[in-house]
Amino acid sequence: MLFDLHPKEHRKELFGRDSELEYLLEQLLAGNWVVVGGQREIGKTSLVKVAIRELKEKHGFKGAYVNLRGVRSLNALLTSLIPEMNSSRVKLDLSFSVNFIMGSAGIQVKRDAKAVSSLNELLNSVHEDLVIAFDEVQELSQASKQFLDILGNVFSSNSRVRFLFTGSYIGVTRILINPPSTSPLHGRPPVILNLRPFNDNTSRVFLRKGMREIGVDFNGEEEVVKRLDGVVGWLTLFGNFYAVRKIGLEEALNFAESEGKKIMIGEFEHFLENKNNKIVYTTLMDVIKVANKWRDIKRGMEIAIGQIDDKELSLALDSLVGNNFIEKVGRGEYRIIDPLLRKIDYSKILKPRL
Protein backbone atom coordinates (compact mmCIF):
# COMPACT_ATOMS: atom_id res chain seq x y z
CA MET A 1 0.00 0.00 0.00
CA LEU A 2 1.45 3.35 -1.04
CA PHE A 3 0.15 5.11 2.07
CA ASP A 4 1.71 2.61 4.50
CA LEU A 5 4.08 4.62 6.69
CA HIS A 6 6.70 1.86 6.96
CA PRO A 7 9.62 1.73 4.49
CA LYS A 8 8.69 -0.23 1.38
CA GLU A 9 10.28 -3.64 0.81
CA HIS A 10 8.64 -4.88 -2.41
CA ARG A 11 9.03 -3.50 -5.92
CA LYS A 12 5.25 -3.24 -6.37
CA GLU A 13 5.11 -0.88 -3.36
CA LEU A 14 7.87 1.40 -4.64
CA PHE A 15 6.41 4.26 -6.67
CA GLY A 16 8.22 6.46 -9.15
CA ARG A 17 11.70 5.01 -8.65
CA ASP A 18 11.88 2.33 -11.37
CA SER A 19 14.85 3.86 -13.16
CA GLU A 20 16.72 4.47 -9.91
CA LEU A 21 16.09 0.89 -8.77
CA GLU A 22 17.28 -0.59 -12.05
CA TYR A 23 20.40 1.56 -12.01
CA LEU A 24 21.12 0.59 -8.40
CA LEU A 25 20.75 -3.12 -9.14
CA GLU A 26 22.88 -2.81 -12.25
CA GLN A 27 25.72 -1.20 -10.32
CA LEU A 28 25.64 -3.69 -7.45
CA LEU A 29 25.57 -6.65 -9.84
CA ALA A 30 28.58 -5.15 -11.60
CA GLY A 31 30.46 -5.22 -8.30
CA ASN A 32 30.28 -1.51 -7.57
CA TRP A 33 29.45 -0.08 -4.18
CA VAL A 34 26.77 2.63 -4.10
CA VAL A 35 25.97 5.69 -1.98
CA VAL A 36 22.29 6.67 -2.10
CA GLY A 37 21.84 10.32 -1.16
CA GLY A 38 19.06 12.85 -0.96
CA GLN A 39 17.07 14.86 1.54
CA ARG A 40 15.19 13.30 4.42
CA GLU A 41 11.88 11.52 3.73
CA ILE A 42 12.77 11.22 0.05
CA GLY A 43 12.65 7.40 0.03
CA LYS A 44 16.26 6.30 0.44
CA THR A 45 15.52 3.51 2.92
CA SER A 46 12.66 2.14 0.81
CA LEU A 47 14.82 2.06 -2.31
CA VAL A 48 17.61 0.27 -0.45
CA LYS A 49 15.31 -2.33 1.11
CA VAL A 50 13.62 -3.08 -2.21
CA ALA A 51 17.02 -3.45 -3.90
CA ILE A 52 18.14 -5.95 -1.25
CA ARG A 53 14.98 -8.01 -1.75
CA GLU A 54 15.39 -7.96 -5.53
CA LEU A 55 18.98 -9.16 -5.26
CA LYS A 56 17.94 -11.96 -2.91
CA GLU A 57 14.92 -13.16 -4.86
CA LYS A 58 16.19 -12.78 -8.43
CA HIS A 59 19.97 -13.05 -8.20
CA GLY A 60 20.66 -15.40 -5.30
CA PHE A 61 22.29 -12.82 -3.04
CA LYS A 62 22.15 -12.76 0.71
CA GLY A 63 21.24 -9.35 2.09
CA ALA A 64 21.64 -7.45 5.35
CA TYR A 65 20.23 -4.07 6.34
CA VAL A 66 21.73 -2.15 9.30
CA ASN A 67 20.32 1.15 10.56
CA LEU A 68 23.28 3.12 11.93
CA ARG A 69 21.23 5.83 13.64
CA GLY A 70 23.07 6.51 16.91
CA VAL A 71 25.94 4.14 16.04
CA ARG A 72 29.10 6.15 16.65
CA SER A 73 31.82 3.53 17.23
CA LEU A 74 33.09 0.32 15.66
CA ASN A 75 32.05 -1.64 18.75
CA ALA A 76 28.51 -0.35 18.29
CA LEU A 77 28.70 -1.21 14.57
CA LEU A 78 29.76 -4.77 15.37
CA THR A 79 26.95 -5.06 17.92
CA SER A 80 24.43 -3.87 15.31
CA LEU A 81 25.77 -6.02 12.47
CA ILE A 82 25.97 -9.40 14.22
CA PRO A 83 22.22 -9.83 14.90
CA GLU A 84 21.53 -9.09 11.23
CA MET A 85 24.16 -11.61 10.12
CA ASN A 86 22.58 -14.15 12.50
CA SER A 87 19.12 -13.44 11.18
CA SER A 88 17.18 -16.23 9.50
CA ARG A 89 16.74 -13.86 6.57
CA VAL A 90 20.48 -13.97 5.86
CA LYS A 91 21.53 -17.56 6.74
CA LEU A 92 25.20 -17.16 5.89
CA ASP A 93 27.65 -20.04 5.92
CA LEU A 94 30.63 -18.59 7.78
CA SER A 95 33.88 -20.00 9.10
CA PHE A 96 35.92 -18.35 11.86
CA SER A 97 39.16 -19.00 13.65
CA VAL A 98 40.12 -15.96 15.74
CA ASN A 99 37.48 -13.56 17.05
CA PHE A 100 34.23 -15.52 16.99
CA ILE A 101 32.58 -18.71 18.15
CA MET A 102 29.44 -20.30 16.77
CA GLY A 103 26.87 -20.71 19.52
CA SER A 104 23.27 -21.86 19.58
CA ALA A 105 22.16 -18.31 18.76
CA GLY A 106 24.64 -17.98 15.91
CA ILE A 107 27.79 -15.86 15.75
CA GLN A 108 29.16 -14.69 19.08
CA VAL A 109 32.15 -12.42 19.62
CA LYS A 110 34.85 -13.75 21.95
CA ARG A 111 35.21 -11.82 25.17
CA ASP A 112 38.46 -9.96 24.42
CA ALA A 113 38.07 -9.61 20.66
CA LYS A 114 38.81 -6.18 19.18
CA ALA A 115 36.24 -4.48 16.96
CA VAL A 116 38.57 -3.78 14.02
CA SER A 117 39.95 -7.31 13.72
CA SER A 118 36.49 -8.78 14.36
CA LEU A 119 34.85 -6.76 11.60
CA ASN A 120 37.66 -7.61 9.19
CA GLU A 121 37.35 -11.31 9.98
CA LEU A 122 33.57 -11.30 9.81
CA LEU A 123 33.36 -9.55 6.44
CA ASN A 124 36.22 -11.50 4.88
CA SER A 125 34.79 -14.84 6.00
CA VAL A 126 31.78 -14.45 3.70
CA HIS A 127 31.93 -16.92 0.80
CA GLU A 128 28.61 -16.06 -0.83
CA ASP A 129 27.35 -13.02 -2.71
CA LEU A 130 26.24 -10.61 0.00
CA VAL A 131 25.01 -7.02 -0.08
CA ILE A 132 25.12 -5.06 3.18
CA ALA A 133 23.22 -1.78 3.45
CA PHE A 134 24.46 0.72 6.01
CA ASP A 135 21.69 3.29 6.46
CA GLU A 136 22.78 6.74 7.79
CA VAL A 137 26.47 5.89 7.42
CA GLN A 138 27.51 9.45 8.33
CA GLU A 139 26.78 8.50 11.95
CA LEU A 140 30.12 6.65 11.96
CA SER A 141 32.12 9.78 11.14
CA GLN A 142 33.84 9.76 14.53
CA ALA A 143 35.34 6.38 13.65
CA SER A 144 35.84 7.16 9.96
CA LYS A 145 39.56 6.30 9.69
CA GLN A 146 39.22 2.76 11.07
CA PHE A 147 35.90 2.19 9.30
CA LEU A 148 37.37 3.18 5.94
CA ASP A 149 40.40 0.97 6.58
CA ILE A 150 38.03 -1.97 7.11
CA LEU A 151 36.13 -1.16 3.92
CA GLY A 152 39.41 -0.92 2.01
CA ASN A 153 40.44 -4.31 3.34
CA VAL A 154 37.15 -5.89 2.29
CA PHE A 155 37.29 -4.24 -1.15
CA SER A 156 40.71 -5.73 -1.78
CA SER A 157 40.08 -9.13 -0.17
CA ASN A 158 36.48 -10.15 -0.73
CA SER A 159 34.65 -9.23 -3.93
CA ARG A 160 31.64 -11.31 -2.83
CA VAL A 161 30.64 -8.52 -0.41
CA ARG A 162 29.07 -5.35 -1.83
CA PHE A 163 28.10 -2.34 0.23
CA LEU A 164 25.19 0.02 -0.15
CA PHE A 165 25.28 3.24 1.86
CA THR A 166 22.80 5.99 2.56
CA GLY A 167 23.59 9.21 4.32
CA SER A 168 24.31 12.91 4.29
CA TYR A 169 27.33 14.07 2.33
CA ILE A 170 29.50 14.77 5.38
CA GLY A 171 32.18 13.02 7.39
CA VAL A 172 32.73 9.43 6.41
CA THR A 173 30.29 9.70 3.49
CA ARG A 174 32.24 12.56 1.96
CA ILE A 175 35.49 10.62 2.27
CA LEU A 176 33.85 7.55 0.73
CA ILE A 177 32.79 9.59 -2.28
CA ASN A 178 36.11 11.37 -2.71
CA PRO A 179 38.82 9.35 -0.93
CA PRO A 180 42.22 11.05 -0.54
CA SER A 181 45.37 9.51 -1.97
CA THR A 182 46.21 8.09 1.47
CA SER A 183 42.90 6.22 1.73
CA PRO A 184 42.73 2.46 1.04
CA LEU A 185 39.70 3.29 -1.12
CA HIS A 186 41.59 5.79 -3.29
CA GLY A 187 40.74 5.13 -6.93
CA ARG A 188 37.74 3.00 -5.90
CA PRO A 189 34.97 5.53 -5.23
CA PRO A 190 31.42 4.23 -4.99
CA VAL A 191 28.70 5.13 -7.44
CA ILE A 192 26.57 8.08 -6.29
CA LEU A 193 22.78 7.89 -6.73
CA ASN A 194 21.04 11.06 -5.58
CA LEU A 195 17.26 10.94 -5.13
CA ARG A 196 15.28 14.06 -5.98
CA PRO A 197 11.70 15.01 -5.02
CA PHE A 198 8.93 14.02 -7.40
CA ASN A 199 7.88 16.67 -9.90
CA ASP A 200 4.33 18.04 -9.58
CA ASN A 201 2.81 15.61 -12.08
CA THR A 202 4.42 12.54 -10.50
CA SER A 203 3.26 13.74 -7.08
CA ARG A 204 -0.31 14.03 -8.33
CA VAL A 205 -0.18 10.55 -9.90
CA PHE A 206 1.21 9.14 -6.63
CA LEU A 207 -1.71 10.61 -4.67
CA ARG A 208 -4.32 9.36 -7.18
CA LYS A 209 -2.88 5.85 -7.23
CA GLY A 210 -2.70 5.68 -3.44
CA MET A 211 -6.30 6.84 -3.16
CA ARG A 212 -7.47 4.28 -5.73
CA GLU A 213 -5.79 1.47 -3.79
CA ILE A 214 -8.06 2.27 -0.84
CA GLY A 215 -11.13 3.09 -2.92
CA VAL A 216 -11.22 6.79 -2.04
CA ASP A 217 -12.40 9.49 -4.43
CA PHE A 218 -10.07 12.46 -4.32
CA ASN A 219 -9.59 15.69 -6.23
CA GLY A 220 -7.43 17.75 -3.87
CA GLU A 221 -4.06 16.94 -5.42
CA GLU A 222 -3.20 20.52 -6.31
CA GLU A 223 -3.51 21.81 -2.76
CA VAL A 224 -1.55 18.88 -1.32
CA VAL A 225 1.32 19.24 -3.78
CA LYS A 226 1.39 23.00 -3.26
CA ARG A 227 1.90 22.56 0.48
CA LEU A 228 3.97 19.36 0.65
CA ASP A 229 5.90 19.55 -2.64
CA GLY A 230 7.19 16.27 -4.10
CA VAL A 231 8.61 14.78 -0.88
CA VAL A 232 7.25 11.24 -0.89
CA GLY A 233 7.41 10.90 2.91
CA TRP A 234 5.09 13.88 3.41
CA LEU A 235 2.75 12.82 0.60
CA THR A 236 2.53 9.37 2.18
CA LEU A 237 1.87 10.86 5.61
CA PHE A 238 -0.96 12.99 4.23
CA GLY A 239 -2.42 10.01 2.34
CA ASN A 240 -2.39 7.93 5.51
CA PHE A 241 -4.21 10.62 7.49
CA TYR A 242 -6.75 11.35 4.75
CA ALA A 243 -7.47 7.97 3.14
CA VAL A 244 -6.59 5.45 5.85
CA ARG A 245 -7.63 7.33 8.99
CA LYS A 246 -10.53 9.12 7.23
CA ILE A 247 -9.59 12.65 8.32
CA GLY A 248 -10.83 15.64 6.30
CA LEU A 249 -8.61 17.29 3.68
CA GLU A 250 -7.58 20.43 5.56
CA GLU A 251 -7.18 18.62 8.87
CA ALA A 252 -5.14 15.85 7.22
CA LEU A 253 -2.85 18.43 5.63
CA ASN A 254 -2.42 20.19 8.96
CA PHE A 255 -1.68 16.90 10.71
CA ALA A 256 0.84 15.94 8.02
CA GLU A 257 2.60 19.29 8.35
CA SER A 258 2.57 19.14 12.15
CA GLU A 259 3.88 15.57 12.40
CA GLY A 260 6.39 16.19 9.61
CA LYS A 261 7.72 19.27 11.40
CA LYS A 262 8.20 17.22 14.57
CA ILE A 263 10.23 14.69 12.58
CA MET A 264 12.38 17.39 11.01
CA ILE A 265 12.91 19.22 14.32
CA GLY A 266 14.14 15.91 15.74
CA GLU A 267 16.50 15.51 12.77
CA PHE A 268 17.81 19.05 13.20
CA GLU A 269 18.31 18.57 16.94
CA HIS A 270 20.24 15.37 16.20
CA PHE A 271 22.40 17.33 13.75
CA LEU A 272 23.10 19.95 16.45
CA GLU A 273 24.22 17.43 19.07
CA ASN A 274 27.94 17.72 18.29
CA LYS A 275 27.90 21.41 17.35
CA ASN A 276 29.48 23.94 19.70
CA ASN A 277 27.98 27.01 18.00
CA LYS A 278 24.37 25.81 17.84
CA ILE A 279 22.94 29.33 17.66
CA VAL A 280 24.78 29.92 14.38
CA TYR A 281 22.92 27.03 12.75
CA THR A 282 19.48 27.81 14.14
CA THR A 283 19.81 31.49 13.22
CA LEU A 284 21.15 30.60 9.78
CA MET A 285 18.10 28.45 9.01
CA ASP A 286 15.77 31.29 9.98
CA VAL A 287 17.77 33.82 7.94
CA ILE A 288 17.77 31.64 4.79
CA LYS A 289 13.97 31.69 4.81
CA VAL A 290 14.14 35.35 3.77
CA ALA A 291 17.64 35.77 2.30
CA ASN A 292 19.29 33.56 -0.30
CA LYS A 293 22.47 35.31 -1.45
CA TRP A 294 25.64 34.95 0.60
CA ARG A 295 26.07 38.67 1.29
CA ASP A 296 22.41 39.02 2.34
CA ILE A 297 22.68 35.94 4.54
CA LYS A 298 25.74 37.41 6.28
CA ARG A 299 23.97 40.72 6.79
CA GLY A 300 20.98 38.94 8.29
CA MET A 301 23.20 36.87 10.59
CA GLU A 302 25.03 39.95 11.88
CA ILE A 303 21.73 41.73 12.56
CA ALA A 304 20.55 38.69 14.51
CA ILE A 305 23.62 37.57 16.48
CA GLY A 306 26.40 40.09 15.83
CA GLN A 307 29.59 39.83 13.79
CA ILE A 308 30.38 36.49 12.20
CA ASP A 309 33.60 35.52 10.46
CA ASP A 310 33.37 34.74 6.73
CA LYS A 311 35.03 31.36 7.23
CA GLU A 312 32.69 30.38 10.07
CA LEU A 313 29.67 31.31 7.96
CA SER A 314 30.92 29.37 4.94
CA LEU A 315 31.66 26.28 7.05
CA ALA A 316 28.20 26.43 8.60
CA LEU A 317 26.56 26.74 5.17
CA ASP A 318 28.63 23.81 3.86
CA SER A 319 27.59 21.71 6.85
CA LEU A 320 23.91 22.45 6.28
CA VAL A 321 24.30 21.60 2.59
CA GLY A 322 26.14 18.38 3.39
CA ASN A 323 23.39 17.36 5.82
CA ASN A 324 20.65 18.03 3.24
CA PHE A 325 18.95 20.82 5.17
CA ILE A 326 19.69 23.42 2.50
CA GLU A 327 20.98 23.28 -1.06
CA LYS A 328 23.24 25.52 -3.07
CA VAL A 329 21.28 26.66 -6.11
CA GLY A 330 23.77 29.02 -7.70
CA ARG A 331 27.00 30.79 -7.02
CA GLY A 332 26.65 32.01 -3.45
CA GLU A 333 22.91 31.31 -3.32
CA TYR A 334 21.15 28.90 -0.97
CA ARG A 335 17.64 27.71 -0.21
CA ILE A 336 15.95 25.43 2.29
CA ILE A 337 15.15 22.16 0.54
CA ASP A 338 12.13 20.76 2.33
CA PRO A 339 8.77 22.58 2.49
CA LEU A 340 8.31 21.61 6.14
CA LEU A 341 11.81 22.77 7.07
CA ARG A 342 10.72 26.20 5.81
CA LYS A 343 7.85 26.24 8.32
CA ILE A 344 9.93 25.61 11.47
CA ASP A 345 10.76 28.43 13.92
CA TYR A 346 14.39 27.57 14.60
CA SER A 347 14.75 30.24 17.28
CA LYS A 348 12.64 28.03 19.59
CA ILE A 349 14.77 24.91 19.20
CA LEU A 350 17.42 25.96 21.72
CA LYS A 351 14.88 27.19 24.29
CA PRO A 352 14.13 24.88 27.25
CA ARG A 353 10.84 23.05 26.85
CA LEU A 354 8.33 23.26 29.67
Side-chain angles (χ1 to χ4, degrees), residues 58-120:
K58 297 182 179 179
H59 301 281
F61 274 65
K62 301 297 177 67
Y65 167 85
V66 184
N67 187 340
L68 296 181
R69 178 79 171 200
V71 174
R72 303 294 175 83
S73 69
L74 294 185
N75 280 318
L77 172 62
L78 185 61
T79 300
S80 299
L81 181 59
I82 285 178
E84 185 64 23
M85 301 289 269
N86 281 332
S87 166
S88 59
R89 297 186 303 273
V90 180
K91 294 181 180 177
L92 282 168
D93 180 19
L94 302 169
S95 57
F96 303 109
S97 60
V98 180
N99 295 289
F100 300 90
I101 57 173
M102 294 297 293
S104 58
I107 309 165
Q108 297 177 20
V109 185
K110 292 181 180 178
R111 184 182 300 274
D112 297 321
K114 303 298 184 184
V116 172
S117 61
S118 297
L119 285 164
N120 275 320

Side-chain angles (χ1 to χ4, degrees), residues 316-335:
L317 286 167
D318 287 347
S319 185
L320 289 170
V321 170
N323 279 277
N324 292 311
F325 290 113
I326 66 174
E327 66 178 347
K328 195 170 184 178
V329 293
R331 186 172 181 180
E333 293 191 28
Y334 301 85
R335 75 178 186 97

Side-chain angles (χ1 to χ4, degrees), residues 65-255:
Y65 167 85
V66 184
N67 187 340
L68 296 181
R69 178 79 171 200
V71 174
R72 303 294 175 83
S73 69
L74 294 185
N75 280 318
L77 172 62
L78 185 61
T79 300
S80 299
L81 181 59
I82 285 178
E84 185 64 23
M85 301 289 269
N86 281 332
S87 166
S88 59
R89 297 186 303 273
V90 180
K91 294 181 180 177
L92 282 168
D93 180 19
L94 302 169
S95 57
F96 303 109
S97 60
V98 180
N99 295 289
F100 300 90
I101 57 173
M102 294 297 293
S104 58
I107 309 165
Q108 297 177 20
V109 185
K110 292 181 180 178
R111 184 182 300 274
D112 297 321
K114 303 298 184 184
V116 172
S117 61
S118 297
L119 285 164
N120 275 320
E121 182 180 4
L122 177 62
L123 295 170
N124 283 316
S125 69
V126 175
H127 306 300
E128 306 167 78
D129 288 328
L130 170 68
V131 58
I132 300 176
F134 285 138
D135 205 351
E136 302 291 349
V137 71
Q138 80 281 349
E139 295 282 296
L140 275 170
S141 292
Q142 293 177 11
S144 61
K145 172 66 167 63
Q146 290 176 309
F147 180 60
L148 291 167
D149 285 346
I150 292 167
L151 293 181
N153 184 300
V154 176
F155 192 98
S156 299
S157 305
N158 193 354
S159 61
R160 305 297 293 271
V161 177
R162 293 95 189 269
F163 287 103
L164 181 51
F165 309 95
T166 81
S168 303
Y169 296 138
I170 60 165
V172 67
T173 319
R174 178 176 288 180
I175 301 172
L176 266 172
I177 292 169
N178 188 25
S181 59
T182 55
S183 169
L185 291 173
H186 181 65
R188 306 162 177 175
V191 174
I192 302 170
L193 176 57
N194 196 45
L195 300 187
R196 301 291 298 175
F198 294 155
N199 61 35
D200 287 355
N201 184 61
T202 303
S203 299
R204 289 190 289 266
V205 174
F206 172 82
L207 289 168
R208 292 186 198 119
K209 184 175 180 181
M211 298 296 174
R212 283 199 304 269
E213 284 183 344
I214 305 172
V216 173
D217 291 328
F218 185 67
N219 58 5
E221 300 95 338
E222 297 300 329
E223 179 64 17
V224 176
V225 174
K226 180 180 178 182
R227 286 172 62 173
L228 300 180
D229 204 357
V231 182
V232 68
W234 307 144
L235 297 174
T236 301
L237 190 57
F238 163 78
N240 190 277
F241 281 128
Y242 180 84
V244 180
R245 307 185 197 195
K246 311 300 182 185
I247 296 173
L249 174 60
E250 186 62 28
E251 191 176 5
L253 268 170
N254 290 337
F255 270 128

Side-chain angles (χ1 to χ4, degrees), residues 250-278:
E250 186 62 28
E251 191 176 5
L253 268 170
N254 290 337
F255 270 128
E257 288 185 341
S258 176
E259 291 302 310
K261 283 167 63 179
K262 290 177 186 176
I263 292 170
M264 297 311 286
I265 288 171
E267 291 288 338
F268 197 75
E269 288 176 334
H270 184 66
F271 160 75
L272 289 175
E273 285 177 3
N274 65 343
K275 304 296 183 187
N276 294 322
N277 51 347
K278 293 178 174 60

